[in-house]
Amino acid sequence: LQLLIELGPVLVSTLGYSNPEVEAVYARARELGERSGGDLRQRFTVLSGLLLFHQSRAELALCVDLTRQRMAIARTLDDPDMEMLCHENFGTLAHWRGEMEESLVELRAALALYRPTGGRAIRLLYGTDVSVVSRTYEAQALMHLGHLDQARERARAAIDVGRSLGHFPSLALALTFGAGLHNAFGDGARGLALAEETHALATREHLAMWVASSVSQRVRALTLLGDPEVAIAAFFAGSAALQATGATIGGRFFVTGLADAYLAAGRADEGLTMFDGLLAGFSRCEDCFYDADVHRVRGSLLRATSGDPAVAEPHYREAISLARQHHNPLLELRAATP
């Protein structure tokens, strides 16, 4: 059981959260723990590993239940480091559900409990540093809520902490999301620089998930920089890496980025076919944080293929409505000014 607990984070870093081997290791560990009666700390660790797997598959309701179980264990043991990790998990899950205000509350609760020794112990067990992850997602929440200067500062802080720790999986996460933040602000040059740094780091350290994630950010940056054909080629050159991870969370985000590249390249007909085809593969995913932009992109594709702005209007209005439901002025503004 202990061997499997030690093996889990290594597989997460090298193969990605959603690789079947990760699920097999933690499922076997859960079986052994239940058979032996296992102590609560081991149970917490195994449930945490399963959370990583199911979150990467965008099975968020299950993840919330797993985190509630883990928080109960943390409070039974009166362990602030475990509570810290649970608050971080609640915060990231809220982000993927599009609940940015709730995400901020949970992430800040995690940061308030962070201490270097406990942070290191959690990092060794679960693969990423809580302070880096919390600052990274805090920046994303602030960005979507419209607090752009604060978002830039938190993203920069996450990268700085990741560098200071010398912990490569945590740094790769901060760099990838940092690239996404700058791309969202229209700064393709900075977005591309961070995406390229992520790719180099992740390739060197064999971090499969972050190799794949850097592809999506590179596509968006290249489109912003006026190279949509290069962006499309980059996506398909990296598609094997994306598929190999087995992850589906954030899939709609990846697809909308590619669709924007097709639009910019003047290939809307191809883009619409690709968009509808790829999007179908993520229909069961529970991460709705980017659904407003899905409708914005579909409207733009239909407008470009039909030449009729009226065809696009219902999709733009639906995008605005969804963005308002999620209190997301960033995506609302994008839908209102396509």
Side-chain angles (χ1 to χ4, degrees), residues 155-178:
R156 183 169 53 250
I159 292 171
D160 289 345
V161 174
R163 292 194 200 283
S164 69
L165 292 172
H167 188 252
F168 298 129
S170 299
L171 176 57
L173 178 144
L175 289 169
T176 299
F177 280 88

mmCIF file of all heavy atoms in Angstrom, residues 155-178:
data_model
loop_
_atom_site.group_PDB
_atom_site.id
_atom_site.type_symbol
_atom_site.label_atom_id
_atom_site.label_comp_id
_atom_site.label_asym_id
_atom_site.label_seq_id
_atom_site.Cartn_x
_atom_site.Cartn_y
_atom_site.Cartn_z
ATOM 1 N N ALA A 155 -0.538 35.865 -11.091
ATOM 2 C CA ALA A 155 0.082 34.936 -12.037
ATOM 3 C C ALA A 155 1.598 35.045 -11.978
ATOM 4 O O ALA A 155 2.311 34.033 -12.000
ATOM 5 C CB ALA A 155 -0.418 35.217 -13.452
ATOM 6 N N ARG A 156 2.091 36.271 -11.913
ATOM 7 C CA ARG A 156 3.543 36.478 -11.805
ATOM 8 C C ARG A 156 4.071 35.887 -10.497
ATOM 9 O O ARG A 156 5.127 35.242 -10.474
ATOM 10 C CB ARG A 156 3.853 37.969 -11.879
ATOM 11 C CG ARG A 156 5.345 38.302 -11.845
ATOM 12 C CD ARG A 156 5.612 39.757 -12.199
ATOM 13 N NE ARG A 156 4.839 40.680 -11.379
ATOM 14 C CZ ARG A 156 3.830 41.428 -11.819
ATOM 15 N NH1 ARG A 156 3.453 41.349 -13.084
ATOM 16 N NH2 ARG A 156 3.185 42.239 -11.008
ATOM 17 N N ALA A 157 3.320 36.068 -9.397
ATOM 18 C CA ALA A 157 3.741 35.523 -8.103
ATOM 19 C C ALA A 157 3.785 34.000 -8.136
ATOM 20 O O ALA A 157 4.700 33.382 -7.572
ATOM 21 C CB ALA A 157 2.790 36.001 -7.004
ATOM 22 N N ALA A 158 2.810 33.377 -8.802
ATOM 23 C CA ALA A 158 2.785 31.913 -8.898
ATOM 24 C C ALA A 158 4.022 31.402 -9.619
ATOM 25 O O ALA A 158 4.655 30.426 -9.181
ATOM 26 C CB ALA A 158 1.525 31.457 -9.623
ATOM 27 N N ILE A 159 4.388 32.060 -10.713
ATOM 28 C CA ILE A 159 5.577 31.647 -11.457
ATOM 29 C C ILE A 159 6.834 31.859 -10.627
ATOM 30 O O ILE A 159 7.721 30.989 -10.582
ATOM 31 C CB ILE A 159 5.666 32.425 -12.787
ATOM 32 C CG1 ILE A 159 4.520 31.989 -13.718
ATOM 33 C CG2 ILE A 159 7.008 32.188 -13.469
ATOM 34 C CD1 ILE A 159 4.377 32.838 -14.963
ATOM 35 N N ASP A 160 6.908 32.987 -9.931
ATOM 36 C CA ASP A 160 8.082 33.281 -9.094
ATOM 37 C C ASP A 160 8.251 32.238 -7.997
ATOM 38 O O ASP A 160 9.368 31.774 -7.729
ATOM 39 C CB ASP A 160 7.962 34.673 -8.476
ATOM 40 C CG ASP A 160 8.140 35.793 -9.492
ATOM 41 O OD1 ASP A 160 8.625 35.506 -10.603
ATOM 42 O OD2 ASP A 160 7.789 36.946 -9.163
ATOM 43 N N VAL A 161 7.141 31.860 -7.351
ATOM 44 C CA VAL A 161 7.219 30.843 -6.292
ATOM 45 C C VAL A 161 7.615 29.498 -6.888
ATOM 46 O O VAL A 161 8.441 28.769 -6.318
ATOM 47 C CB VAL A 161 5.881 30.736 -5.535
ATOM 48 C CG1 VAL A 161 5.917 29.567 -4.537
ATOM 49 C CG2 VAL A 161 5.573 32.027 -4.799
ATOM 50 N N GLY A 162 7.055 29.157 -8.032
ATOM 51 C CA GLY A 162 7.428 27.910 -8.689
ATOM 52 C C GLY A 162 8.910 27.857 -9.007
ATOM 53 O O GLY A 162 9.565 26.822 -8.813
ATOM 54 N N ARG A 163 9.465 28.970 -9.476
ATOM 55 C CA ARG A 163 10.897 29.016 -9.763
ATOM 56 C C ARG A 163 11.710 28.880 -8.476
ATOM 57 O O ARG A 163 12.721 28.163 -8.439
ATOM 58 C CB ARG A 163 11.258 30.330 -10.456
ATOM 59 C CG ARG A 163 10.699 30.485 -11.851
ATOM 60 C CD ARG A 163 11.400 31.641 -12.569
ATOM 61 N NE ARG A 163 10.633 32.151 -13.697
ATOM 62 C CZ ARG A 163 10.539 31.563 -14.873
ATOM 63 N NH1 ARG A 163 11.148 30.413 -15.079
ATOM 64 N NH2 ARG A 163 9.830 32.108 -15.850
ATOM 65 N N SER A 164 11.288 29.580 -7.433
ATOM 66 C CA SER A 164 12.058 29.564 -6.186
ATOM 67 C C SER A 164 12.079 28.181 -5.546
ATOM 68 O O SER A 164 13.065 27.791 -4.933
ATOM 69 C CB SER A 164 11.498 30.591 -5.195
ATOM 70 O OG SER A 164 10.218 30.202 -4.719
ATOM 71 N N LEU A 165 10.984 27.436 -5.707
ATOM 72 C CA LEU A 165 10.923 26.084 -5.148
ATOM 73 C C LEU A 165 11.745 25.097 -5.979
ATOM 74 O O LEU A 165 12.167 24.056 -5.466
ATOM 75 C CB LEU A 165 9.474 25.599 -5.085
ATOM 76 C CG LEU A 165 8.543 26.293 -4.096
ATOM 77 C CD1 LEU A 165 7.120 25.813 -4.304
ATOM 78 C CD2 LEU A 165 8.996 26.041 -2.663
ATOM 79 N N GLY A 166 11.950 25.409 -7.249
ATOM 80 C CA GLY A 166 12.637 24.466 -8.126
ATOM 81 C C GLY A 166 11.854 23.189 -8.337
ATOM 82 O O GLY A 166 12.426 22.129 -8.607
ATOM 83 N N HIS A 167 10.522 23.304 -8.214
ATOM 84 C CA HIS A 167 9.664 22.135 -8.355
ATOM 85 C C HIS A 167 9.018 22.185 -9.732
ATOM 86 O O HIS A 167 8.128 23.004 -9.999
ATOM 87 C CB HIS A 167 8.598 22.107 -7.256
ATOM 88 C CG HIS A 167 7.797 20.844 -7.234
ATOM 89 N ND1 HIS A 167 6.492 20.773 -7.631
ATOM 90 C CD2 HIS A 167 8.157 19.574 -6.879
ATOM 91 C CE1 HIS A 167 6.059 19.531 -7.508
ATOM 92 N NE2 HIS A 167 7.045 18.789 -7.049
ATOM 93 N N PHE A 168 9.459 21.318 -10.637
ATOM 94 C CA PHE A 168 9.130 21.463 -12.040
ATOM 95 C C PHE A 168 7.649 21.279 -12.374
ATOM 96 O O PHE A 168 7.095 22.041 -13.172
ATOM 97 C CB PHE A 168 9.999 20.532 -12.886
ATOM 98 C CG PHE A 168 11.467 20.829 -12.775
ATOM 99 C CD1 PHE A 168 12.381 19.825 -12.491
ATOM 100 C CD2 PHE A 168 11.936 22.132 -12.918
ATOM 101 C CE1 PHE A 168 13.734 20.099 -12.381
ATOM 102 C CE2 PHE A 168 13.291 22.421 -12.814
ATOM 103 C CZ PHE A 168 14.199 21.397 -12.545
ATOM 104 N N PRO A 169 6.943 20.288 -11.810
ATOM 105 C CA PRO A 169 5.518 20.183 -12.133
ATOM 106 C C PRO A 169 4.729 21.425 -11.712
ATOM 107 O O PRO A 169 3.835 21.874 -12.435
ATOM 108 C CB PRO A 169 5.065 18.938 -11.362
ATOM 109 C CG PRO A 169 6.311 18.123 -11.224
ATOM 110 C CD PRO A 169 7.406 19.129 -11.013
ATOM 111 N N SER A 170 5.057 21.977 -10.546
ATOM 112 C CA SER A 170 4.367 23.187 -10.087
ATOM 113 C C SER A 170 4.685 24.370 -10.989
ATOM 114 O O SER A 170 3.801 25.161 -11.347
ATOM 115 C CB SER A 170 4.774 23.508 -8.641
ATOM 116 O OG SER A 170 4.423 22.460 -7.776
ATOM 117 N N LEU A 171 5.951 24.507 -11.370
ATOM 118 C CA LEU A 171 6.347 25.602 -12.249
ATOM 119 C C LEU A 171 5.678 25.466 -13.614
ATOM 120 O O LEU A 171 5.205 26.453 -14.195
ATOM 121 C CB LEU A 171 7.862 25.636 -12.402
ATOM 122 C CG LEU A 171 8.421 26.690 -13.371
ATOM 123 C CD1 LEU A 171 7.976 28.096 -12.974
ATOM 124 C CD2 LEU A 171 9.948 26.600 -13.433
ATOM 125 N N ALA A 172 5.610 24.241 -14.143
ATOM 126 C CA ALA A 172 4.975 24.034 -15.449
ATOM 127 C C ALA A 172 3.506 24.441 -15.409
ATOM 128 O O ALA A 172 2.990 25.057 -16.348
ATOM 129 C CB ALA A 172 5.107 22.566 -15.868
ATOM 130 N N LEU A 173 2.829 24.118 -14.328
ATOM 131 C CA LEU A 173 1.429 24.525 -14.173
ATOM 132 C C LEU A 173 1.305 26.046 -14.181
ATOM 133 O O LEU A 173 0.470 26.614 -14.892
ATOM 134 C CB LEU A 173 0.869 23.945 -12.867
ATOM 135 C CG LEU A 173 -0.567 24.299 -12.504
ATOM 136 C CD1 LEU A 173 -1.251 23.118 -11.823
ATOM 137 C CD2 LEU A 173 -0.661 25.525 -11.595
ATOM 138 N N ALA A 174 2.149 26.720 -13.398
ATOM 139 C CA ALA A 174 2.080 28.180 -13.321
ATOM 140 C C ALA A 174 2.395 28.828 -14.663
ATOM 141 O O ALA A 174 1.753 29.811 -15.062
ATOM 142 C CB ALA A 174 3.039 28.687 -12.245
ATOM 143 N N LEU A 175 3.378 28.297 -15.377
ATOM 144 C CA LEU A 175 3.743 28.841 -16.675
ATOM 145 C C LEU A 175 2.618 28.671 -17.690
ATOM 146 O O LEU A 175 2.311 29.583 -18.467
ATOM 147 C CB LEU A 175 5.014 28.160 -17.196
ATOM 148 C CG LEU A 175 6.322 28.498 -16.489
ATOM 149 C CD1 LEU A 175 7.423 27.545 -16.939
ATOM 150 C CD2 LEU A 175 6.737 29.947 -16.742
ATOM 151 N N THR A 176 2.006 27.487 -17.706
ATOM 152 C CA THR A 176 0.932 27.221 -18.666
ATOM 153 C C THR A 176 -0.249 28.149 -18.450
ATOM 154 O O THR A 176 -0.765 28.770 -19.394
ATOM 155 C CB THR A 176 0.467 25.757 -18.557
ATOM 156 O OG1 THR A 176 1.549 24.893 -18.861
ATOM 157 C CG2 THR A 176 -0.676 25.477 -19.515
ATOM 158 N N PHE A 177 -0.703 28.245 -17.207
ATOM 159 C CA PHE A 177 -1.836 29.117 -16.928
ATOM 160 C C PHE A 177 -1.453 30.586 -17.095
ATOM 161 O O PHE A 177 -2.286 31.407 -17.475
ATOM 162 C CB PHE A 177 -2.384 28.847 -15.533
ATOM 163 C CG PHE A 177 -3.287 27.645 -15.450
ATOM 164 C CD1 PHE A 177 -2.767 26.387 -15.217
ATOM 165 C CD2 PHE A 177 -4.654 27.772 -15.607
ATOM 166 C CE1 PHE A 177 -3.587 25.270 -15.139
ATOM 167 C CE2 PHE A 177 -5.498 26.669 -15.536
ATOM 168 C CZ PHE A 177 -4.953 25.417 -15.299
ATOM 169 N N GLY A 178 -0.193 30.913 -16.818
ATOM 170 C CA GLY A 178 0.274 32.275 -17.067
ATOM 171 C C GLY A 178 0.205 32.613 -18.545
ATOM 172 O O GLY A 178 -0.192 33.718 -18.929
#
